Amino acid sequence: MTDGANNGQRQLGKLRRVVVKVGSAVIAGNGRLRPKVITSVAADVTALRAAGLEVVMVVSGAVAAGYAPMGMASPPIEVVERQAAASVGQHRLMGILSKAFKKHRVHVAQLLMTPEDIENRRRFISARHTLQTLIRRGVVPIINENDALSDDENKVGDNDHLAALVTGLVSAELLVILSVVEGLRSDGGAGPVISQVEIGSSIDHHISHSKSVSGVGGMHAKVAAARLASHWGVPTIVADGLSAGMLPRLIAGEPLGTIFLPREKRLSARKQWIALRSRSLGSLTVDEGAKAAIIERGASLLPSGIRAVQGHFSMGARVDLLDLEGRTFAVGLVSYSAHDIDRLKGRKQSEVRDILGFEYIREIINRDDLVVL
Ligand code: GLU
């Protein structure tokens, strides 16, 4: 952690396009939308646009705004109740957003996305074209997950993650996550806000696992989103969304909240695509030798280094690579199915043909299909 900013100001470089994510807890409290806060966010976004920036929003709050009108006292736990609440809350949310932007003569558009819209190349490109067209026409796209139709098995999950995916989708240069927390605090949330963090530095002990009542993600999800955004070479700022005027101040370089700076170089388009697929279909636990070879030498994953296979997946699926402590350190596309990998794990290269009756390729995951996180 360093405070590398000049005169205390952050240098954000030339910004053209920004993704702004607003969390449920900012948008709604106790099952009611907060029109005042939404009005002030709309004014802030309008100020960015006036400064020449293109803004794409990811706004949560469908469930948070939907459960009270359905007669529930607290956010529902049961999946189908959440889906129903989201369908009540989503249009209420858009109603207030659209009214707030109308004051500034700005039109908004609603896009409700599912994991398939990211994973399926064709839908991905289609979403990108729609968003580009909206931006070109001066409309503010407002994205949420299609919560009403997504059960838990098939869900992006938290909107911090969705916002990071959208940042890649629209090739934005900055992701801003507006939350009810002021930023990443040191000492597990008890200390002061850390102004700047480099992705990949030892920040994990600062991450508090607590969540706001209506929020889904918590700080853990925000750091994970920042990590994902760093794959596109994009910084992420987490800041207080309840404070009016926050966005223009951030864009002007005021060191508010926490900025997560990408350290690594931008990934190649192919590796971005692998990292971008919204979820893994399973995981492979590998030994220390394989982990070191992958991280330090950029090696491929061979059968001998694999200890365990989790999940059912076929060839080409994205899986997480876990170390022996269960931490995900890479993702990659497998060259064999879960069933075949299970038979090959721990075995020598030369045994592959004997075990399977065929040998398709030497590596379980080729280095070109691996992304170290
Ligand atoms: N999509 C959910 C909603 O709008 C929120 C997910 C999140 O807050 O991360 O209610």
Side-chain angles (χ1 to χ4, degrees):
M1 276 157 288
T2 49
D3 214 341
N6 293 340
N7 319 319
Q9 292 290 102
R10 285 189 185 126
Q11 308 298 313
L12 295 172
K14 173 105 191 79
L15 298 176
R16 185 181 54 104
R17 192 171 285 175
V18 180
V19 172
V20 176
K21 184 260 173 176
V22 194
S24 293
V26 173
I27 292 287
N30 298 327
R32 301 173 74 104
L33 285 164
R34 295 199 178 107
K36 267 207 188 121
V37 174
I38 296 174
T39 304
S40 124
V41 169
D44 271 19
V45 168
T46 308
L48 299 199
R49 286 163 47 96
L53 279 170
E54 296 169 345
V55 184
V56 174
M57 298 185 78
V58 174
V59 181
S60 306
V63 176
Y67 70 83
M70 279 176 62
M72 299 176 186
S74 56
I77 312 284
E78 199 186 312
V79 176
V80 72
E81 297 273 26
R82 293 185 70 81
Q83 291 179 244
S87 67
V88 172
Q90 181 62 33
H91 72 89
R92 296 169 71 96
L93 178 61
M94 285 308 295
I96 297 191
L97 279 160
S98 145
K99 205 165 137 203
F101 275 99
K102 203 168 172 187
K103 291 192 189 124
H104 305 279
R105 297 174 197 279
V106 174
H107 286 288
V108 296
Q110 169 183 269
L111 281 93
L112 300 179
M113 301 187 69
T114 62
E116 285 79 30
D117 300 317
I118 306 287
E119 279 170 26
N120 178 303
R121 185 107 191 141
R122 188 171 170 150
R123 292 177 73 146
F124 175 85
I125 290 178
S126 178
R128 191 176 165 119
H129 289 162
T130 307
L131 285 163
Q132 277 163 348
T133 306
L134 290 167
I135 293 167
R136 201 174 53 237
R137 293 263 170 199
V139 176
V140 175
I142 302 181
I143 300 171
N144 196 359
E145 175 150 22
N146 193 347
D147 295 304
L149 301 184
S150 328
D151 57 61
D152 266 17
E153 284 292 292
N154 186 18
K155 212 165 165 45
V156 174
D158 69 78
N159 271 356
D160 298 319
H161 185 71
L162 179 62
L165 293 172
V166 167
T167 302
L169 178 65
V170 300
S171 310
E173 292 97 7
L174 177 69
L175 167 61
V176 179
I177 297 181
L178 294 178
S179 169
V180 287
V181 297
E182 284 167 65
L184 178 66
R185 290 183 177 279
S186 58
D187 307 323
V193 170
I194 303 165
S195 169
Q196 182 168 315
V197 168
E198 252 179 53
I199 291 290
S201 62
S202 54
I203 50 174
D204 295 74
H205 62 284
H206 293 305
I207 303 164
S208 136
H209 284 266
S210 67
K211 296 170 183 177
S212 62
V213 183
S214 42
V216 174
M219 189 45 86
H220 203 68
K222 291 174 181 44
V223 176
R227 227 170 253 149
L228 182 55
S230 78
H231 288 316
W232 339 127
V234 173
T236 298
I237 301 177
V238 176
D240 177 12
L242 291 173
S243 147
M246 179 54 77
L247 285 174
R249 292 176 69 189
L250 289 175
I251 299 301
E254 279 191 52
L256 301 163
T258 303
I259 188 165
F260 295 85
L261 295 174
R263 193 164 60 175
E264 56 207 284
K265 287 206 302 284
R266 217 184 157 90
L267 293 173
S268 69
R270 173 170 172 69
K271 292 215 171 188
Q272 280 192 24
W273 169 241
I274 295 168
L276 190 113
R277 289 176 152 219
S278 64
R279 59 204 172 105
S280 293
L281 297 176
S283 56
L284 304 177
T285 305
V286 310
D287 63 23
E288 286 305 316
K291 180 182 175 185
I294 288 167
I295 294 180
E296 283 152 33
R297 289 192 283 110
S300 298
L301 176 66
L302 303 176
S304 55
I306 301 174
R307 290 282 185 88
V309 184
Q310 296 87 19
H312 299 282
F313 48 84
S314 38
M315 174 195 155
R318 192 188 102 164
V319 299
D320 292 336
L321 289 196
L322 312 180
D323 62 18
L324 294 177
E325 264 104 66
R327 284 183 303 235
T328 305
F329 68 92
V331 294
L333 308 184
V334 286
S335 310
Y336 290 94
S337 68
H339 180 71
D340 288 346
I341 298 172
D342 199 46
R343 293 165 71 198
L344 295 174
K345 66 172 191 279
R347 308 298 283 267
K348 283 207 271 323
Q349 199 74 179
S350 53
E351 297 177 295
V352 171
R353 183 177 295 276
D354 278 350
I355 296 167
L356 295 183
F358 69 95
E359 182 177 356
Y360 170 63
I361 191 172
R362 300 187 73 85
E363 302 88 12
I364 299 295
I365 303 180
N366 185 274
R367 61 199 296 170
D368 291 338
D369 293 335
L370 259 176
V371 182
V372 176
L373 302 175

